[in-house]
Amino acid sequence: MRRDVDTLHQDLLQTRLQDISRGFDAVSDPLGRAMRDAVLSSGKRFRGMLLLLAADASGGVGETMVDAACAIEMVHAASLVFDDMPCMDDAALRRGQPATHIAHGESRALLAGIALITEAMAVLATARGADGATRAQLVRILTRALGPQGLCAGQDLDLHADKSDAGIEREQDLKTGVLFVAGLEMLAVVKDFDAEDKDQMIAFGRQLGRVFQSYDDLLDVIGDSKALGKEPGRDQAAPGPKRGLLAVADLQQVSRHYAASRAQLDAMLRSKRLQAPEIAALLERVLPYRASA
């Protein structure tokens, strides 16, 4: 990826997120600090970066797309706050730092996660450069992705459902793929894609979620805490049914599945809306062809 493009989009995201976060402590400074720590902590910003690079490949990045990317990053940060809590994954580390509930307490972590989601919706409802109808569509897309037919349902299945090959794929689509799909759907709305292009974006987002989650499942076994910035082995240690692909396959089978799924993802980059070397480079950096820590 060209360094100037990478830096530009990282700066756009970080600057806008910092601007949005200034309002987090309007009433409670401790709550605001917990929210800022969660959303501004060091990380790949993979979802937001992908959205901005895809926008760039379709005519350019405007203020509306920056706000959409920030909203995606905010709800993703909230999902990680919830993921790490004792009732879920019970993880102490996130991105190499104490998890939000460790640093700020469980009650404040819960409230910070909820507040990040509501603030993300507010960002979309007032998205810069968009008219009222477009803003309403953006809010609808993201709320659908998070609710009982999206991320919340996927997380519930991940925690409690019996595992099968088809069930795992459904969990991947709901708990991981939905945010990729939502971001690319918002891109399709803002850029006024035709039905074919929109369908290709949705298919790519869904496949990306499957590949991303498969790689995450592998790293939970083969990764180390220093490289990951979090504790490995959480899926296997968690209470309840085994979780992820390794609940239905051994490590070698999951590695082969990941390689095949990753190849499918590459093939989808031939879509005219995704034919950008920066997108391919971002995927290679985050989802290498050979799974390793």
Side-chain angles (χ1 to χ4, degrees):
M1 185 185 298
R2 298 198 315 270
R3 181 64 186 167
D4 56 337
V5 175
D6 190 18
T7 302
L8 171 64
H9 290 97
Q10 288 279 8
D11 288 349
L12 281 172
L13 275 174
Q14 186 71 8
T15 300
R16 182 58 175 149
L17 285 169
Q18 288 173 337
D19 181 51
I20 293 166
S21 71
R22 291 190 181 98
F24 289 172
D25 58 2
V27 174
S28 169
D29 186 63
L31 176 63
R33 283 199 303 272
M35 294 169 69
R36 283 194 301 273
D37 284 355
V39 80
L40 296 177
S41 64
S42 62
K44 295 183 288 289
R45 306 226 188 284
F46 178 43
R47 291 152 184 81
M49 285 288 291
L50 174 69
L51 188 50
L52 295 186
L53 290 173
D56 217 359
S58 293
V61 175
E63 290 182 329
T64 306
M65 290 314 307
V66 173
D67 284 354
C70 287
I72 290 287
E73 286 294 325
M74 291 165 72
V75 298
H76 175 58
S79 75
L80 298 182
V81 171
F82 297 141
D83 245 2
D84 291 339
M85 293 186 72
C87 61
M88 303 278 261
D89 285 356
D90 194 16
L93 288 176
R94 174 64 65 176
R95 294 171 175 168
Q97 300 296 321
T100 304
H101 70 279
I102 298 294
H104 299 279
E106 288 183 36
S107 61
R108 189 161 285 132
L110 179 63
L111 295 171
I114 295 170
L116 281 171
I117 291 172
T118 60
E119 287 300 290
M121 298 306 171
V123 168
L124 293 180
T126 58
R128 298 169 301 166
D131 60 24
T134 299
R135 290 168 173 172
Q137 288 187 74
L138 300 181
V139 171
R140 178 187 61 82
I141 289 167
L142 193 52
T143 53
R144 185 183 61 203
L146 297 179
Q149 298 179 57
L151 194 150
C152 286
Q155 191 66 32
D156 186 70
L157 293 174
D158 180 53
L159 289 167
H160 303 297
D162 292 334
K163 306 305 175 187
S164 66
D165 290 339
I168 294 293
E169 188 170 271
R170 187 181 183 210
E171 289 173 20
Q172 291 175 337
D173 290 348
L174 292 172
K175 68 174 279 189
T176 306
V178 284
L179 282 188
F180 292 122
V181 169
L184 293 167
E185 273 194 277
M186 289 194 280
L187 173 67
V189 167
V190 173
K191 297 291 188 179
D192 196 25
F193 287 179
D194 62 28
E196 181 180 356
D197 285 349
K198 180 181 176 181
D199 287 346
Q200 288 178 350
M201 291 296 101
I202 291 172
F204 176 77
R206 187 176 296 117
Q207 180 67 15
L208 179 56
R210 293 171 182 175
V211 175
F212 189 94
Q213 192 57 54
S214 297
Y215 188 54
D216 194 64
D217 290 349
L218 283 171
L219 290 184
D220 189 65
V221 176
I222 66 176
D224 65 81
S225 59
K226 185 176 180 180
L228 296 177
K230 61 181 181 179
E231 298 165 311
R234 302 310 309 173
D235 287 348
Q236 302 305 309
K242 288 185 178 180
R243 296 160 64 180
L245 277 169
L246 287 158
V248 295
D250 62 31
L251 187 61
Q252 188 175 40
Q253 290 171 324
V254 175
S255 296
R256 287 198 298 266
H257 173 85
Y258 170 72
S261 298
R262 183 65 177 81
Q264 286 180 302
L265 192 67
D266 254 10
M268 298 174 87
L269 291 176
R270 298 180 189 131
S271 164
K272 68 179 182 180
R273 298 291 186 179
L274 297 167
Q275 287 182 3
E278 292 82 9
I279 295 175
L282 175 66
L283 293 179
E284 187 171 353
R285 187 174 69 193
V286 176
L287 298 167
Y289 293 104
R290 184 177 179 85
S292 61

